[in-house]
Amino acid sequence: MPQNFLFNAIAHKTVTDETTPPGILVSLLSHSQGSDYYFFELPKRTFRINIYKLESHHISIFPDMDGRKEYHYTAHFKNKKSKFRLHVYFNERDGYEGTPGFSK
C-alpha cells in the first residue's frame, strides 16, 4: 500500500496551536479499522447550500493511500428533517477524485 507523504510530513512536524491556523483543531485519532489518522476540525461557519445548513466540517488524512486518496473533506449538513454528509476525496495534487458523495 502506498504511503501518504502528507500524513508522514505532519507526523514529523510538531503540531501545536502556534503552528496551525486560528480555529483549526488537530487531533491524531484511531479509525475503527485500527489505523491512526489526522483529524483537522475546521472552524464553524454560517453556510448553506439551498435548504442544507452546514453543521460541522473536517479534513481527514490517513497514513496509507488504499483507495482513500491523500485526504478527504467531510461536511455535515442538516435540513429541517434530516442530517446529511458530504465526502470529497482529493489526490496529491489537490484535485478531487471520483464523484463527491452526499448521503443521509
Side-chain angles (χ1 to χ4, degrees):
M1 210 174 319
Q3 293 290 306
N4 185 335
F5 293 108
L6 179 58
F7 179 91
N8 291 330
I10 294 166
H12 288 94
K13 174 84 173 146
T14 302
V15 178
T16 66
D17 290 339
E18 292 80 31
T19 61
T20 58
I24 296 177
L25 301 175
V26 181
S27 303
L28 181 61
L29 302 177
S30 292
H31 192 270
S32 60
Q33 296 172 349
S35 67
D36 290 341
Y37 66 100
Y38 282 101
F39 182 90
F40 288 74
E41 185 176 348
L42 302 173
K44 294 189 180 197
R45 307 185 80 144
T46 302
F47 181 76
R48 288 184 176 273
I49 300 176
N50 295 324
I51 62 170
Y52 306 103
K53 180 183 175 188
L54 179 67
E55 293 289 304
S56 65
H57 57 151
H58 68 268
I59 293 172
S60 299
I61 303 169
F62 288 83
D64 298 313
M65 297 173 62
D66 63 336
R68 291 186 184 105
K69 307 307 176 203
E70 187 160 57
Y71 63 95
H72 75 265
Y73 171 78
T74 302
H76 297 274
F77 290 92
K78 179 171 118 172
N79 66 14
K80 291 182 180 180
K81 297 180 181 180
S82 301
K83 293 182 179 185
F84 298 85
R85 182 173 60 193
L86 170 70
H87 267 132
V88 183
Y89 294 86
F90 295 88
N91 61 31
E92 64 277 0
R93 293 187 177 150
D94 295 329
Y96 67 88
E97 292 282 332
T99 304
F102 190 70
S103 61
K104 278 189 175 187

